[in-house]
């Protein structure tokens, strides 16, 4: 017993030991690379699902191409091709041999005999019902093609190619420009098309996640005798490029630009309309660009080829980089500017790193900061407390608003041309507002309103643009949609919101677009400055349209009045001629004598110098005269002092001519020498 008891005593510490071992160990600190973060949160950059990923890839590549061409003031020519890749072709691309199924029940799309019998019975009932409806003369819907069960593992793959005539890329920079997330040339305070600066990098990450295939880049800069070719993918965990091939090839055609090719999983069927709407709206806001869009499929009837032709060669100015406004900075930004500045003292730092701070105003600010500050003090020696004091003063002090000189709107001229080119409306009005400010950032609103047109539905058709790119998603909460639906009284401008085909185009440009949500697809309705500017711009367009619509109504009323008067001319002519003929007979028989002009008229009736035809022509001429006088009186009362004029757009002459351009946001004038 003692031996047994003694054997049980040491078991207690063993239990304690095992309990201690079960305690969770402290996890070592881990880090994620930017590429890994965006791969796990791809919806932030618009890669929610295969269809949206295909759409986002197209728009990122197109916008990069436009930026590249505009940066060297070259009229953009962009070719975008989406090629459908079948399963067998994709397997051969990745070196995978097609394999026949052995165990059918293992697959998600397996259909049991009972399920198949049920499906066929349902199809038979549908066909029988359609036959009865056809016999009764009712409208019969076209039967949908029978779809087999689609498994979760069945995917569609596409090769997306985008070619442009832009700047191109330096040979040595290509790997980092495509294979390293959060590296690029667009950072800085200026108006940019990009949302995150991810661009083709996210397309490469999605390609790596969905197909495992690398991206291919061909590029050549102006004057280069070679084409840089690079095939690479990305090491997501280390956020560095993994180069497969990087070489220089002969550039015999002296081509300048870039061509990007990437193979991704996508869904053309569900996002076809979105992609085509995007291309059409991009053609509206950039009428100086030429787009060629192609969709290539194994079945030729699915192929799509659309060319969006260039309408003008007047391009907006390249957006200029600007400095920060004092009211738009935070503590971190002030510290970063101090660490990066080349200025030595505080006075120079305030003058040169911020807008709207002159020398005298900078001295006043420094004096207000307190005795610890002086104009000549070294800016690098500022303490954290002193930087907080600067930030507090920036928030409380009064500064002039920043100017809109750094912005590059499409221009009223280009917006009007784009609308006319793509929609062919019956009438259109455009307006470009002046620069305004939101939280220290300048912004401008341009608007266009059209009536009628090609492929335009009845009611409001809203087209939204931010920094000259179309916004197609999350439209309901957008400031433009809410303003057009709730804050504009269309009836007061003689526009029927329910029946007329109304196109509303609003373009907002700024150094910082206040997007809402992670998708960056809409601008919130809670910013009063932007909401007010959008409403005012749309109203200005409506005011222009109202005068045109009133003139159109006036012309319609005039035609109706003229038609009504002309309708009675034959009856009035017959009655008057019969009376004149009886009076002429009385005058001839001397039963009743008429004198002077009356006698002369009756004599002409007797000699058939005046006939029914003569009277009819005189009455028609009189109707024309009265109608013109009434229209003139109406126009005078309405304040219309001249005939309506239509806008005329002249095509440019052939290249090689010497000319000087004079253009503003409203017009363009070219003087040939």
């Amino acid at each position: 017993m003692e031996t047994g008891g003694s054997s049980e005593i040491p078991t207690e510490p063993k239990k304690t030991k095992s309990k201690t071992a079960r305690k969770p160990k402290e996890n070592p600190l881990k880090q994620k690379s930017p590429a890994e973060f965006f791969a796990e949160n791809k919806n932030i950059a618009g890669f929610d699902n295969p269809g949206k990923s295909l759409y986002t890839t197209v728009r990122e590549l197109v916008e990069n191409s436009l930026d590249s061409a505009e940066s060297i003031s070259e009229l953009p020519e962009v070719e975008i091709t989406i090629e459908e890749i079948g399963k067998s072709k994709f397997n051969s691309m990745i070196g995978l041999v097609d394999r026949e199924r052995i165990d059918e029940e293992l697959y998600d799309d397996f259909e049991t005999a009972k399920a198949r019998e049920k499906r066929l019975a349902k199809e038979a009932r549908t066909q029988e019902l359609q036959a009865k409806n056809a016999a009764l003369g009712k409208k019969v819907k076209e039967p949908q093609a029978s779809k087999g069960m689609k498994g979760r593992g069945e995917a569609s793959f596409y090769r997306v190619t985008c070619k442009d005539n832009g700047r191109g890329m330096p040979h040595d920079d290509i790997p980092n420009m495509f294979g390293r997330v959060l590296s690029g040339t667009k950072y800085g305070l200026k108006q940019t098309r990009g949302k995150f600066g991810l661009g083709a990098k996210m397309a490469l990450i999605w390609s790596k996640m969905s197909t495992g295939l690398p991206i291919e880049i061909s590029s050549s800069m102006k004057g280069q005798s070679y084409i840089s070719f690079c095939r690479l993918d990305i090491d997501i965990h280390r956020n560095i490029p993994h180069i497969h091939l990087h070489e220089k090839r002969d550039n015999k055609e002296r081509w300048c630009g870039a061509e990007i090719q990437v193979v991704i999983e996508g869904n053309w069927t569900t996002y076809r309309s979105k992609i085509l709407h995007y291309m059409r709206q991009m053609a509206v806001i950039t009428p100086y660009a030429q787009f060629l869009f192609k969709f290539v499929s194994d079945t030729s009837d699915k192929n799509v080829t659309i060319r969006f032709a260039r309408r003008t060669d007047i391009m907006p100015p390249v957006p200029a980089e600007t400095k920060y406004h004092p009211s738009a900075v935070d503590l971190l930004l002030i510290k970063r500017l101090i660490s990066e500045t080349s200025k030595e003292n505080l006075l120079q730092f305030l003058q040169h790193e911020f807008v709207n701070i002159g020398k005298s105003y900078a001295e006043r600010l420094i004096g207000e900061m307190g005795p610890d500050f002086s104009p000549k003090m070294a800016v690098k020696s500022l303490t954290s407390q002193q930087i907080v004091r600067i930030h507090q003063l920036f928030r409380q002090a009064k500064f002039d608003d920043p100017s809109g000189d750094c912005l590059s709107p499409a221009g009223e001229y280009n917006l009007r041309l784009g609308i006319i080119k793509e929609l062919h409306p019956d009438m259109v009005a455009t307006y470009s507002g002046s620069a305004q400010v939101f939280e220290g950032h300048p912004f401008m609103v341009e608007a266009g309103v059209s009536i009628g047109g090609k492929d335009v539905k009845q009611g409001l058709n809203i087209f939204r643009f931010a920094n000259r790119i179309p916004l197609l998603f999350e439209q309901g909460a957008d400031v433009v949609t809410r303003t057009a639906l709730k804050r504009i009284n269309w009836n007061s401008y003689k526009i029927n919101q329910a029946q007329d085909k109304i196109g509303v185009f609003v373009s907002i440009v700024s150094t910082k677009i206040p997007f809402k949500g992670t998708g960056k697809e809409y601008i919130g309705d809670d910013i009063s400055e932007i909401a007010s500017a959008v409403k005012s711009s749309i109203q200005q367009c409506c005011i222009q349209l109202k005068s045109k619509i009133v003139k159109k109504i006036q012309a319609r009323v005039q035609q109706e009045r003229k038609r009504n008067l002309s309708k009675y001319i034959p009856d009035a002519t017959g009655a008057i001629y019969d009376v004149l003929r009886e009076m002429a007979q009385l005058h001839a028989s001397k039963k009743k004598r008429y004198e002077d002009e009356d006698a002369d008229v009756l004599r002409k009736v007797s000699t058939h110098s005046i006939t029914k035809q003569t009277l009819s022509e005189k009455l028609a001429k009189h109707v024309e005269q009265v109608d013109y006088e009434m229209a003139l009186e109406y126009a005078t009362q309405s304040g219309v002092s001249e005939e309506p004029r239509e806008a005329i757009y002249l095509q440019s002459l052939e290249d090689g001519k010497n000319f000087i351009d004079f253009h503003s946001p409203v017009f363009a004038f070219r003087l040939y020498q």
Side-chain angles (χ1 to χ4, degrees), residues 81-85 89 157-160 294-297:
T81 305
I82 302 175
E83 181 186 351
E84 189 175 23
I85 298 175
K89 187 176 180 180
F157 301 99
Y158 302 88
R159 179 188 284 112
V160 182
K294 292 180 182 178
F295 175 78
V296 182
S297 175

Side-chain angles (χ1 to χ4, degrees), residues 23 35 77 87 104 171 239 354 433 460 476 564-565 660 671:
K23 284 183 180 179
E77 293 181 9
K87 183 180 176 183
E104 287 286 348
H171 180 80
N239 192 32
F354 301 96
L460 290 176
N564 290 336
L565 289 172
I660 301 171
L671 177 64

